[in-house]
Each structure stands twice: as structure tokens, then as C-alpha cells.
Amino acid sequence: MNIKKFNGVNVVETTKIEAKNPSILIGFPDVGLVGPIATSHIIQSLNMEEVGYMESDLLPPVIVVHDNEPKHQIRIFGLGEILAVITETILPPQAVYDLSRTIALWAKQLNAKFVIGLTGMAVPNRLEIEKPSVYGIGSTKEARKILQDAKIQPFEEGVLVGIYALLIRECMREKQPNITLLAEAHLQFPDPGAAASTIESLNSLLATNIDVKSLLEKEEEIRIKARELMRRTREQMRSLQKVQEQELRGIYV
Amino acid sequence: MSTRRRRSVFELFEELRNQVNRMFEEMMGPLLPPETPMHNVSRRELQPLTHLRETEESIIITVDLPCVRKEDIRVEATENMVKIEAPTRECLRLSPYGAIQREAEFDVFRKTVKLPVAVEPQKARARFKAGILEIVLPKKIAGFRIPVE
């Protein structure tokens, strides 16, 4: 077991991480729960191994029980050059700062190729959209070039609020390349369709071949089971003033 | 001579209780359910996620209703309230999770939404697409035009 201590957050690697330049996927609850739904599907599809967890006194006193086994709230999975960080609990706003800083520092230490945030972008007309589009933000020139090569549309103008915004900021501070994928999604409801679109974009980005058919087949089941998490995420998004993302306040003319 | 009144044990206890409550709320605030649980096992009902938004003329309610057929949805509206009832296509068996460690079955979504302003229920319209119900309720008084002099 390898414990790496950062600002108020410990990254505990229970299995040695052998990856040389991993891409680290981040799936935290946010718009449409796109991150946790997509990341959980990726972990299951690739049969990724649980390789560690993150712990902090800033996190609420929660333990997740899965298959009668207690698990940490923020878990790390790995397979080859892909790592995934996932949580299905709500992160309190005071923990979000230290956590995103930790992820950026840890990624830098691992010599990660990219930290890849998977999330949603609330669109008011989501009901009219059959297949959600995915937009990408790259924190470096190289990241933007890779997004362009993967034919992922750029997120041209706007504001991001919340943990994915902080992740970009901390990655920029640490000079750790970051890519954030934003799928058009329902703000208020779990959106497995948006998660599927995100995975398809990720497939072209990482040259993986993760099937989304089974995810779309389970769409209704996911929407029923994720209601409570979505409700709590909505509360958190309200406290983080997520609504700012919907404002049109361009200053560049 | 000091003028400070000595506090009774009850007052001290009350203060301590308030302090503990405050600490508990600060610690557990993000964990406490914002409303009641979203299911009722004995009534076999689930509460759907709903969202209410207001435009100048209308109140628009969207309701997430997976596993539901359009023809089974029942919406009743008054001036101040909307009731939604939607039986599921089939009985939903949820495996043990959280407070439900026995397998639980659900067969209906139910939700009553209180409206922030009076509406004209007879002019309401609804549509159901991709498992999401959207109800548009025109406001009773959409607004008076004020002449500008």
C-alpha cells in the first residue's frame, strides 16, 4: 500500500500503479450525472481493477457498501494506461478545492498524459435532441490539437462552474494537461444518453472501443436508481451557483 | 458585586443542545435529505424527479418518468396544484439497497407539485417524450399592459 499525502487529501494506492503516462478519467456527480454514469460504465466494460482510493477529513462521514464490502467514497480503478476516479456520493463544497488540487498534483506525480473530466453541459432543449453532441476543452495547445484530431467540437465560449472548473484551474496551475468533455445533457435529470455520447467521444480520443449499447439498454433502470443521487446533486449545484453556466454574459465582441 | 445572572441548568442545557444541533447541521447538512425519501415501500410508489420553471406567461413542469407508457399517465391540475400519477409498464423490483435491504417492488410514480402562482388548468397542455413529461400551465394573470406615457 502506498499512501501519498497532499493538501488535506490522501491518495492511497492499494495496488502499484504501473502505468507510464496514464489518462485519468474523472467521474464526479454534476450535470445529468454524466460523469459517474459514463465512468461506471467504462469501469464495468473494461473490467478495471480497483487500485486505490482518496480519503480526507473534509469528506462527509460516509462509507459505501457494495456486495457486502465497505468501500471508500472516492475510488480509483485502473487498467493499462487508463485510470478512473469515481464517486457516487456528493462532495461538500469545502472538499472540492483540496480534492481537485490533489488530483492535479497526483496526476503530475504519475506523469499522467491527461486528466480527463467527463461531465454534462445543461441544454434547455435537451428533449428535442436525439443524440447529444459533445464539446471539448483542452487546457494546453497539445490537448486542443488532440481534441481537434479526434473530431471533438471545441467548447468555444462560456463559463464552467463546479469541480470540473476547479480541476481545469488546478491542472493549469500544475501544468498538468487537462481535457474536459461536456455532453449536452439534462440539468435536472440523470442522462445516460449524454453519458453514452461522452464515451463515444472518449473512444476516439483514447482509441478505445467501449460499447455503449448496453448502457443505452439500461437507460431507464439507471434513471430510476439514480433519482436520489440526482436530487442531492441538484442541491449541490444550487449551492455552487451552477446556474451561471446558463448565463449569456459574453464580453469578447 | 457582579450583576451577571447565573444561568440555570436548563438554560445551559438548551445552549448546549443548540450548539450540538448547529454542529450536526454543519457536518451533516449536505447529507440530510432535502425532502422526504423518494419512495414509499408500503404504497409501492416512487417519487419522480421533477423540475419547475417559470416564464412570463406559464409555469412549465418537467417530470422524469422512465418505464412508463404515455397512455397510462394521469395529470390533474387545479389553479394551485398539479397531481401526477403514472403506473409503470411492469412491476419494478429493486434489489436491496440502503434502507431497503429486502427486495422491494414498485409499480407507480406519484407526485403532487404546488404551484408558485395561480394557473388556468383548463388551458394546460402536456407532452411525453423520451420518458419525460412536460406540462405547460398558462398563468391566470399573465400580466397587464401598462401604458407608457
Side-chain angles (χ1 to χ4, degrees):
Chain A
M1 187 182 287
N2 184 13
I3 302 173
K4 295 176 175 174
K5 294 187 181 206
F6 298 95
N7 310 312
V9 182
N10 293 344
V11 179
V12 183
E13 296 171 1
T14 49
T15 302
K16 189 171 167 39
I17 294 174
E18 308 274 5
K20 298 278 174 279
N21 301 106
S23 291
I24 305 175
L25 312 179
I26 308 293
F28 290 159
D30 199 55
V31 174
L33 298 181
V34 170
I37 296 172
T39 310
S40 159
H41 182 73
I42 293 165
I43 291 167
Q44 282 179 37
S45 300
L46 298 179
N47 205 11
M48 292 172 82
E49 187 197 348
E50 196 169 334
V51 295
Y53 56 89
M54 293 184 185
E55 59 178 13
S56 168
D57 288 346
L58 295 167
L59 295 173
V62 170
I63 201 94
V64 180
V65 182
H66 182 56
D67 283 341
N68 195 26
E69 193 185 331
K71 304 268 185 192
H72 287 267
Q73 281 174 72
I74 305 174
R75 299 184 301 286
I76 306 164
F77 290 81
L79 180 82
E81 289 296 308
I82 301 176
L83 293 173
V85 184
I86 188 170
T87 183
E88 62 276 271
T89 56
I90 297 302
L91 305 169
Q94 66 271 25
V96 161
Y97 291 87
D98 285 346
L99 196 62
S100 38
R101 195 163 302 142
T102 295
I103 291 172
L105 290 165
W106 175 61
K108 190 79 187 162
Q109 222 178 67
L110 286 177
N111 202 19
K113 190 173 178 191
F114 292 113
V115 168
I116 305 178
L118 308 177
T119 186
M121 180 178 78
V123 285
N125 62 335
R126 173 66 182 93
L127 257 185
E128 320 306 329
I129 298 169
E130 197 73 33
K131 190 173 168 50
S133 295
V134 177
Y135 299 84
I137 302 172
S139 69
T140 60
K141 254 187 189 170
E142 191 210 353
R144 289 190 283 274
K145 173 79 170 59
I146 283 172
L147 282 166
Q148 195 183 5
D149 292 346
K151 297 191 169 37
I152 294 168
Q153 301 174 66
F155 179 91
E156 296 278 6
E157 300 278 344
V159 176
L160 285 197
V161 178
I163 185 141
Y164 289 97
L166 274 172
L167 261 176
I168 297 175
R169 196 175 82 181
E170 294 304 327
C171 284
M172 284 165 70
R173 192 205 297 252
E174 298 305 323
K175 298 193 171 28
Q176 164 58 51
N178 174 296
I179 283 176
T180 302
L181 297 179
L182 302 116
E184 292 175 321
H186 290 294
L187 172 66
Q188 307 286 346
F189 304 140
D191 199 332
S197 288
T198 309
I199 294 171
E200 285 173 339
S201 293
L202 197 69
N203 276 339
S204 42
L205 202 66
L206 299 181
T208 46
N209 190 21
I210 301 159
D211 183 34
V212 295
K213 195 167 159 255
S214 59
L215 172 64
L216 292 171
E217 281 168 0
K218 285 188 292 185
E219 178 177 353
E220 289 188 311
E221 190 189 338
I222 294 169
R223 278 162 59 189
I224 288 173
K225 288 185 174 168
R227 284 171 311 125
E228 307 266 6
L229 176 59
M230 187 72 244
R231 185 170 68 169
R232 289 188 183 285
T233 306
R234 278 157 53 156
E235 293 295 316
Q236 193 212 31
M237 290 193 296
R238 240 196 305 272
S239 73
L240 291 171
Q241 300 190 7
K242 190 82 180 165
V243 72
Q244 289 179 77
E245 285 185 0
Q246 314 246 326
E247 293 170 2
L248 296 171
R249 49 170 164 173
I251 48 165
Y252 306 107
V253 289
Chain B
M1 195 170 98
S2 165
T3 55
R4 260 181 84 184
R5 185 175 68 89
R6 181 176 285 181
R7 287 179 298 173
S8 72
V9 172
F10 298 106
E11 285 173 310
L12 287 169
F13 182 75
E14 183 64 24
E15 191 180 303
L16 181 68
R17 201 177 63 145
N18 286 339
Q19 264 181 21
V20 170
N21 281 347
R22 271 198 304 275
M23 278 168 62
F24 185 78
E25 272 176 28
E26 273 171 26
M27 258 181 75
M28 303 294 283
L31 297 174
L32 291 173
E35 300 151 35
T36 49
M38 294 182 78
H39 58 262
N40 186 321
V41 179
S42 56
R43 294 174 64 177
R44 299 167 64 96
E45 68 180 42
L46 295 169
Q47 194 187 105
L49 283 166
T50 52
H51 176 56
L52 185 148
R53 73 190 160 95
E54 198 175 340
T55 67
E56 210 168 307
E57 295 93 20
S58 316
I59 299 290
I60 301 166
I61 301 170
T62 39
V63 191
D64 195 22
L65 293 173
C67 299
V68 162
R69 278 188 295 251
K70 184 181 87 172
E71 52 272 27
D72 296 333
I73 301 171
R74 203 168 144 188
V75 184
E76 282 177 23
T78 65
E79 283 191 1
N80 309 303
M81 198 177 279
V82 174
K83 269 187 183 173
I84 300 134
E85 187 178 296
T88 53
R89 279 194 308 265
E90 56 204 40
C91 174
L92 303 172
R93 283 186 188 83
L94 297 191
S95 48
Y97 187 84
I100 312 170
Q101 285 301 315
R102 298 157 191 248
E103 193 171 81
E105 295 183 344
F106 301 93
D107 45 30
V108 67
F109 281 105
R110 261 195 207 103
K111 175 87 178 181
T112 301
V113 182
K114 280 184 188 164
L115 304 175
V117 293
V119 296
E120 294 191 74
Q122 64 279 18
K123 291 186 184 168
R125 56 183 204 278
R127 65 171 177 154
F128 187 60
K129 194 177 174 190
I132 291 175
L133 174 71
E134 184 182 74
I135 310 163
V136 181
L137 302 130
K139 286 182 184 170
K140 199 166 182 186
I141 300 168
F144 293 111
R145 178 146 189 195
I146 302 169
V148 181
E149 292 171 16

PDB file of all heavy atoms in Angstrom, chain A residues 160-175:
ATOM      1  N   LEU A 160     -17.653  27.654 -16.874  1.00  0.00           N
ATOM      2  CA  LEU A 160     -17.851  26.372 -16.170  1.00  0.00           C
ATOM      3  C   LEU A 160     -17.844  26.666 -14.682  1.00  0.00           C
ATOM      4  O   LEU A 160     -17.058  27.480 -14.205  1.00  0.00           O
ATOM      5  CB  LEU A 160     -16.721  25.388 -16.460  1.00  0.00           C
ATOM      6  CG  LEU A 160     -16.629  24.672 -17.792  1.00  0.00           C
ATOM      7  CD1 LEU A 160     -15.698  23.479 -17.665  1.00  0.00           C
ATOM      8  CD2 LEU A 160     -17.970  24.217 -18.273  1.00  0.00           C
ATOM      9  N   VAL A 161     -18.702  25.969 -13.960  1.00  0.00           N
ATOM     10  CA  VAL A 161     -18.779  26.166 -12.505  1.00  0.00           C
ATOM     11  C   VAL A 161     -18.738  24.798 -11.846  1.00  0.00           C
ATOM     12  O   VAL A 161     -19.365  23.855 -12.330  1.00  0.00           O
ATOM     13  CB  VAL A 161     -20.105  26.876 -12.130  1.00  0.00           C
ATOM     14  CG1 VAL A 161     -20.222  27.045 -10.621  1.00  0.00           C
ATOM     15  CG2 VAL A 161     -20.220  28.233 -12.814  1.00  0.00           C
ATOM     16  N   GLY A 162     -17.998  24.685 -10.756  1.00  0.00           N
ATOM     17  CA  GLY A 162     -18.015  23.434 -10.002  1.00  0.00           C
ATOM     18  C   GLY A 162     -16.688  22.706 -10.052  1.00  0.00           C
ATOM     19  O   GLY A 162     -15.656  23.266 -10.431  1.00  0.00           O
ATOM     20  N   ILE A 163     -16.735  21.424  -9.691  1.00  0.00           N
ATOM     21  CA  ILE A 163     -15.485  20.676  -9.528  1.00  0.00           C
ATOM     22  C   ILE A 163     -14.705  20.543 -10.831  1.00  0.00           C
ATOM     23  O   ILE A 163     -13.472  20.583 -10.834  1.00  0.00           O
ATOM     24  CB  ILE A 163     -15.734  19.288  -8.889  1.00  0.00           C
ATOM     25  CG1 ILE A 163     -14.383  18.604  -8.626  1.00  0.00           C
ATOM     26  CG2 ILE A 163     -16.625  18.404  -9.734  1.00  0.00           C
ATOM     27  CD1 ILE A 163     -14.261  17.845  -7.394  1.00  0.00           C
ATOM     28  N   TYR A 164     -15.410  20.438 -11.956  1.00  0.00           N
ATOM     29  CA  TYR A 164     -14.674  20.297 -13.224  1.00  0.00           C
ATOM     30  C   TYR A 164     -13.958  21.600 -13.594  1.00  0.00           C
ATOM     31  O   TYR A 164     -12.896  21.572 -14.211  1.00  0.00           O
ATOM     32  CB  TYR A 164     -15.625  19.836 -14.341  1.00  0.00           C
ATOM     33  CG  TYR A 164     -16.046  18.393 -14.143  1.00  0.00           C
ATOM     34  CD1 TYR A 164     -17.248  18.073 -13.521  1.00  0.00           C
ATOM     35  CD2 TYR A 164     -15.225  17.345 -14.525  1.00  0.00           C
ATOM     36  CE1 TYR A 164     -17.621  16.753 -13.298  1.00  0.00           C
ATOM     37  CE2 TYR A 164     -15.575  16.024 -14.319  1.00  0.00           C
ATOM     38  CZ  TYR A 164     -16.778  15.736 -13.704  1.00  0.00           C
ATOM     39  OH  TYR A 164     -17.130  14.424 -13.484  1.00  0.00           O
ATOM     40  N   ALA A 165     -14.560  22.722 -13.196  1.00  0.00           N
ATOM     41  CA  ALA A 165     -13.907  24.019 -13.411  1.00  0.00           C
ATOM     42  C   ALA A 165     -12.640  24.095 -12.556  1.00  0.00           C
ATOM     43  O   ALA A 165     -11.571  24.502 -13.027  1.00  0.00           O
ATOM     44  CB  ALA A 165     -14.863  25.145 -13.048  1.00  0.00           C
ATOM     45  N   LEU A 166     -12.774  23.656 -11.304  1.00  0.00           N
ATOM     46  CA  LEU A 166     -11.605  23.683 -10.414  1.00  0.00           C
ATOM     47  C   LEU A 166     -10.507  22.742 -10.885  1.00  0.00           C
ATOM     48  O   LEU A 166      -9.325  23.038 -10.765  1.00  0.00           O
ATOM     49  CB  LEU A 166     -12.029  23.272  -9.001  1.00  0.00           C
ATOM     50  CG  LEU A 166     -12.560  24.388  -8.129  1.00  0.00           C
ATOM     51  CD1 LEU A 166     -13.117  23.827  -6.836  1.00  0.00           C
ATOM     52  CD2 LEU A 166     -11.458  25.392  -7.807  1.00  0.00           C
ATOM     53  N   LEU A 167     -10.932  21.602 -11.411  1.00  0.00           N
ATOM     54  CA  LEU A 167      -9.948  20.640 -11.924  1.00  0.00           C
ATOM     55  C   LEU A 167      -9.111  21.256 -13.045  1.00  0.00           C
ATOM     56  O   LEU A 167      -7.886  21.111 -13.076  1.00  0.00           O
ATOM     57  CB  LEU A 167     -10.663  19.415 -12.475  1.00  0.00           C
ATOM     58  CG  LEU A 167     -10.744  18.195 -11.581  1.00  0.00           C
ATOM     59  CD1 LEU A 167     -11.578  17.123 -12.243  1.00  0.00           C
ATOM     60  CD2 LEU A 167      -9.357  17.666 -11.250  1.00  0.00           C
ATOM     61  N   ILE A 168      -9.797  21.965 -13.951  1.00  0.00           N
ATOM     62  CA  ILE A 168      -9.067  22.637 -15.037  1.00  0.00           C
ATOM     63  C   ILE A 168      -8.097  23.648 -14.435  1.00  0.00           C
ATOM     64  O   ILE A 168      -6.921  23.700 -14.793  1.00  0.00           O
ATOM     65  CB  ILE A 168     -10.043  23.332 -16.021  1.00  0.00           C
ATOM     66  CG1 ILE A 168     -10.947  22.299 -16.698  1.00  0.00           C
ATOM     67  CG2 ILE A 168      -9.273  24.139 -17.081  1.00  0.00           C
ATOM     68  CD1 ILE A 168     -12.025  22.892 -17.599  1.00  0.00           C
ATOM     69  N   ARG A 169      -8.618  24.449 -13.485  1.00  0.00           N
ATOM     70  CA  ARG A 169      -7.793  25.501 -12.885  1.00  0.00           C
ATOM     71  C   ARG A 169      -6.557  24.922 -12.202  1.00  0.00           C
ATOM     72  O   ARG A 169      -5.439  25.397 -12.401  1.00  0.00           O
ATOM     73  CB  ARG A 169      -8.640  26.282 -11.869  1.00  0.00           C
ATOM     74  CG  ARG A 169      -8.038  27.594 -11.474  1.00  0.00           C
ATOM     75  CD  ARG A 169      -8.968  28.358 -10.578  1.00  0.00           C
ATOM     76  NE  ARG A 169      -8.863  27.903  -9.202  1.00  0.00           N
ATOM     77  CZ  ARG A 169      -9.598  28.395  -8.213  1.00  0.00           C
ATOM     78  NH1 ARG A 169     -10.515  29.308  -8.452  1.00  0.00           N
ATOM     79  NH2 ARG A 169      -9.438  27.972  -6.992  1.00  0.00           N
ATOM     80  N   GLU A 170      -6.762  23.858 -11.413  1.00  0.00           N
ATOM     81  CA  GLU A 170      -5.631  23.274 -10.684  1.00  0.00           C
ATOM     82  C   GLU A 170      -4.653  22.591 -11.634  1.00  0.00           C
ATOM     83  O   GLU A 170      -3.440  22.617 -11.418  1.00  0.00           O
ATOM     84  CB  GLU A 170      -6.129  22.296  -9.616  1.00  0.00           C
ATOM     85  CG  GLU A 170      -6.906  22.953  -8.492  1.00  0.00           C
ATOM     86  CD  GLU A 170      -6.137  24.056  -7.776  1.00  0.00           C
ATOM     87  OE1 GLU A 170      -4.904  23.941  -7.662  1.00  0.00           O
ATOM     88  OE2 GLU A 170      -6.765  25.043  -7.365  1.00  0.00           O
ATOM     89  N   CYS A 171      -5.189  21.952 -12.678  1.00  0.00           N
ATOM     90  CA  CYS A 171      -4.312  21.314 -13.660  1.00  0.00           C
ATOM     91  C   CYS A 171      -3.475  22.385 -14.367  1.00  0.00           C
ATOM     92  O   CYS A 171      -2.278  22.192 -14.602  1.00  0.00           O
ATOM     93  CB  CYS A 171      -5.120  20.512 -14.678  1.00  0.00           C
ATOM     94  SG  CYS A 171      -5.712  18.952 -14.013  1.00  0.00           S
ATOM     95  N   MET A 172      -4.090  23.528 -14.683  1.00  0.00           N
ATOM     96  CA  MET A 172      -3.346  24.618 -15.330  1.00  0.00           C
ATOM     97  C   MET A 172      -2.247  25.106 -14.389  1.00  0.00           C
ATOM     98  O   MET A 172      -1.111  25.345 -14.810  1.00  0.00           O
ATOM     99  CB  MET A 172      -4.282  25.763 -15.706  1.00  0.00           C
ATOM    100  CG  MET A 172      -5.128  25.449 -16.945  1.00  0.00           C
ATOM    101  SD  MET A 172      -6.506  26.569 -17.148  1.00  0.00           S
ATOM    102  CE  MET A 172      -5.670  28.062 -17.597  1.00  0.00           C
ATOM    103  N   ARG A 173      -2.583  25.224 -13.114  1.00  0.00           N
ATOM    104  CA  ARG A 173      -1.601  25.715 -12.130  1.00  0.00           C
ATOM    105  C   ARG A 173      -0.393  24.761 -12.050  1.00  0.00           C
ATOM    106  O   ARG A 173       0.742  25.183 -11.953  1.00  0.00           O
ATOM    107  CB  ARG A 173      -2.276  25.802 -10.755  1.00  0.00           C
ATOM    108  CG  ARG A 173      -1.462  26.571  -9.721  1.00  0.00           C
ATOM    109  CD  ARG A 173      -1.809  26.131  -8.324  1.00  0.00           C
ATOM    110  NE  ARG A 173      -3.193  26.417  -7.983  1.00  0.00           N
ATOM    111  CZ  ARG A 173      -3.573  27.368  -7.130  1.00  0.00           C
ATOM    112  NH1 ARG A 173      -2.681  28.108  -6.542  1.00  0.00           N
ATOM    113  NH2 ARG A 173      -4.836  27.532  -6.855  1.00  0.00           N
ATOM    114  N   GLU A 174      -0.685  23.456 -12.121  1.00  0.00           N
ATOM    115  CA  GLU A 174       0.391  22.454 -12.002  1.00  0.00           C
ATOM    116  C   GLU A 174       0.996  22.079 -13.349  1.00  0.00           C
ATOM    117  O   GLU A 174       1.800  21.148 -13.425  1.00  0.00           O
ATOM    118  CB  GLU A 174      -0.148  21.188 -11.318  1.00  0.00           C
ATOM    119  CG  GLU A 174      -0.637  21.395  -9.906  1.00  0.00           C
ATOM    120  CD  GLU A 174       0.409  22.018  -8.999  1.00  0.00           C
ATOM    121  OE1 GLU A 174       1.597  21.681  -9.140  1.00  0.00           O
ATOM    122  OE2 GLU A 174       0.034  22.867  -8.167  1.00  0.00           O
ATOM    123  N   LYS A 175       0.546  22.745 -14.405  1.00  0.00           N
ATOM    124  CA  LYS A 175       0.982  22.419 -15.773  1.00  0.00           C
ATOM    125  C   LYS A 175       0.728  20.938 -16.103  1.00  0.00           C
ATOM    126  O   LYS A 175       1.550  20.256 -16.718  1.00  0.00           O
ATOM    127  CB  LYS A 175       2.459  22.787 -15.979  1.00  0.00           C
ATOM    128  CG  LYS A 175       2.700  24.276 -15.818  1.00  0.00           C
ATOM    129  CD  LYS A 175       4.058  24.673 -16.316  1.00  0.00           C
ATOM    130  CE  LYS A 175       4.294  26.163 -16.375  1.00  0.00           C
ATOM    131  NZ  LYS A 175       3.577  27.021 -15.465  1.00  0.00           N
TER     132      LYS A 175
END
